[in-house]
């Protein structure tokens, strides 16, 4: 039987208490944290960027799973890898060379994923 993993999204967190919210999710059995990064161009919403990812990384040792809903996600591969992101997922229609970027993500030690509309 496959192990189900719990990956709470921090979008619903109280950002004024982010570290506390992360600790509560860990105590509740979280296996990793899911972060939706939106730029206001690829999708109409804007969420957060590297500063919040860095805050999450400082608050937990659990893996971080990014779902980028941004134009040209390849611009962020190195930065998020350096922040300790474990999983980097993007939309292939947001870039011209999806296969090239999947390889670059893996070369930086992250798991690569495609999100399909």
């Amino acid at each position: 039987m496959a192990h189900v993993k719990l990956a709470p999204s921090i979008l619903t967190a109280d950002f004024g208490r982010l570290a506390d919210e992360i600790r509560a999710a860990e105590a509740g059995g979280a296996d990793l944290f899911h972060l939706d990064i939106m730029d206001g161009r690829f999708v109409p919403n804007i969420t957060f960027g590297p500063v919040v990812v860095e805050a999450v990384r400082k608050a937990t040792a659990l893996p971080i799973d990014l779902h980028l809903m941004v134009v040209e996600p390849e611009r962020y591969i190195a930065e998020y890898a350096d922040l300790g992101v474990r999983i980097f997922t993007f939309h292939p229609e947001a870039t011209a060379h999806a296969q090239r970027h999947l390889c670059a993500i893996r070369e930086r030690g992250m798991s690569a994923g495609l999100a399909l509309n």
Side-chain angles (χ1 to χ4, degrees):
M1 175 183 257
H3 174 72
V4 175
K5 292 192 176 195
L6 182 60
S9 170
I10 68 156
L11 265 181
T12 59
D14 176 348
F15 284 84
R17 300 180 46 246
L18 186 57
D20 293 333
E21 298 269 308
I22 288 170
R23 281 191 290 277
E26 288 177 334
D31 294 299
L32 64 153
F33 286 95
H34 180 82
L35 285 70
D36 287 304
I37 309 291
M38 302 176 210
D39 66 1
R41 291 178 58 209
F42 184 71
V43 295
N45 294 338
I46 297 173
T47 55
F48 46 79
V51 172
V52 173
V53 175
E54 183 176 18
V56 172
R57 174 73 297 142
K58 288 179 181 176
T60 185
L62 292 177
I64 295 175
D65 167 30
L66 289 188
H67 172 200
L68 277 80
M69 292 172 265
V70 303
V71 174
E72 299 174 344
E74 63 273 14
R75 294 178 300 146
Y76 304 101
I77 294 169
E79 183 172 18
Y80 286 128
D82 291 345
L83 288 173
V85 167
R86 212 56 89 66
I87 304 164
F88 188 106
T89 300
F90 66 94
H91 290 261
E93 64 271 24
T95 187
H97 303 286
Q99 180 59 39
R100 183 182 306 165
H101 306 317
L102 290 168
C103 292
I105 291 164
R106 286 189 217 100
E107 286 171 2
R108 293 299 306 248
M110 297 181 286
S111 293
L114 292 177
L116 304 175
N117 275 338

